[in-house]
Amino acid sequence: MENTLESLTRIKKRLHEASYKLTPQRETTVLVLLENEKDHLSAEEIYMLAKLKAPDIGLATVYRTLEMLTELKILDKISFTDGLARYDMRKEGAKHFHHHLLCLECGDIEEIEDDLLGEVEQVVEQRFQFKVTDHRLTFHGVCSKCQHAK
């Protein structure tokens, strides 16, 4: 797995290629995302953590940065059962958004890196003449910890 500095360098390059600069506020937002990559944070949670690093950062700046990173496909914006938009770093070179396991008991979210839907995409494209550009899949259920706690 990439370390934070390598990821930051890669993101800075992507921003530069898209004619954006990595301002100190954007860098703070990206660092919060990288440091909490497994947590699927909401914009407000990202803002609160960014504020600890840069007390002068504004919520609007965080929102604009998240939207820009989403448009550039550096981030994916996702929603689970709580209705909040949450943000997830897209893996470098990933053809598709990765999948998730969502525990309905404790709320834990686990990532599945394998692309499980290649054949399904082919069927959709052939049967419906629909060009698939991405897909998202979340399995809802009960994690092993919660199963064993009963």
Side-chain angles (χ1 to χ4, degrees), residues 2 4 9 27 34 38 47 54 62 70 72 84-86 90 102 109 116 119 122 124 127 135 140 147 150:
E2 272 185 318
T4 302
T9 302
E27 184 172 347
L34 291 171
K38 295 287 183 193
Y47 167 68
V62 171
T70 301
L72 295 174
L84 287 175
R86 297 187 174 277
R90 187 175 274 240
L102 173 63
I109 301 166
L116 304 173
E119 290 180 32
Q122 290 176 357
V124 168
R127 189 175 300 163
H135 62 257
H140 298 235
Q147 290 176 47
K150 290 183 177 185

Side-chain angles (χ1 to χ4, degrees), residues 40 42 77-86 100-109 137-142:
H40 304 90
S42 69
K77 187 177 187 177
I78 52 178
S79 288
F80 294 113
T81 55
D82 60 6
L84 287 175
R86 297 187 174 277
H100 294 95
L101 304 174
L102 173 63
C103 180
L104 299 173
E105 303 263 328
C106 68
D108 256 6
I109 301 166
L137 178 63
T138 301
F139 292 95
H140 298 235
V142 180

Side-chain angles (χ1 to χ4, degrees), residues 28-91:
T28 298
T29 304
V30 169
L31 283 172
V32 166
L33 288 160
L34 291 171
E35 291 167 358
N36 299 279
E37 199 169 344
K38 295 287 183 193
D39 294 331
H40 304 90
L41 300 173
S42 69
E44 292 77 13
E45 291 167 329
I46 294 165
Y47 167 68
M48 295 306 290
L49 292 170
K51 197 130 181 81
L52 296 174
K53 293 178 176 292
D56 60 331
I57 196 166
L59 181 59
T61 300
V62 171
Y63 270 109
R64 283 191 303 271
T65 301
L66 294 173
E67 288 305 313
M68 176 194 60
L69 295 171
T70 301
E71 286 173 20
L72 295 174
K73 297 197 183 306
I74 293 169
L75 275 185
D76 285 306
K77 187 177 187 177
I78 52 178
S79 288
F80 294 113
T81 55
D82 60 6
L84 287 175
R86 297 187 174 277
Y87 295 88
D88 204 4
M89 298 297 292
R90 187 175 274 240
K91 305 297 182 235

Side-chain angles (χ1 to χ4, degrees), residues 99 101 112-121 135 137 139:
H99 309 305
L101 304 174
I112 302 174
E113 298 298 332
D114 301 337
D115 187 359
L116 304 173
L117 297 178
E119 290 180 32
V120 173
E121 279 188 12
H135 62 257
L137 178 63
F139 292 95

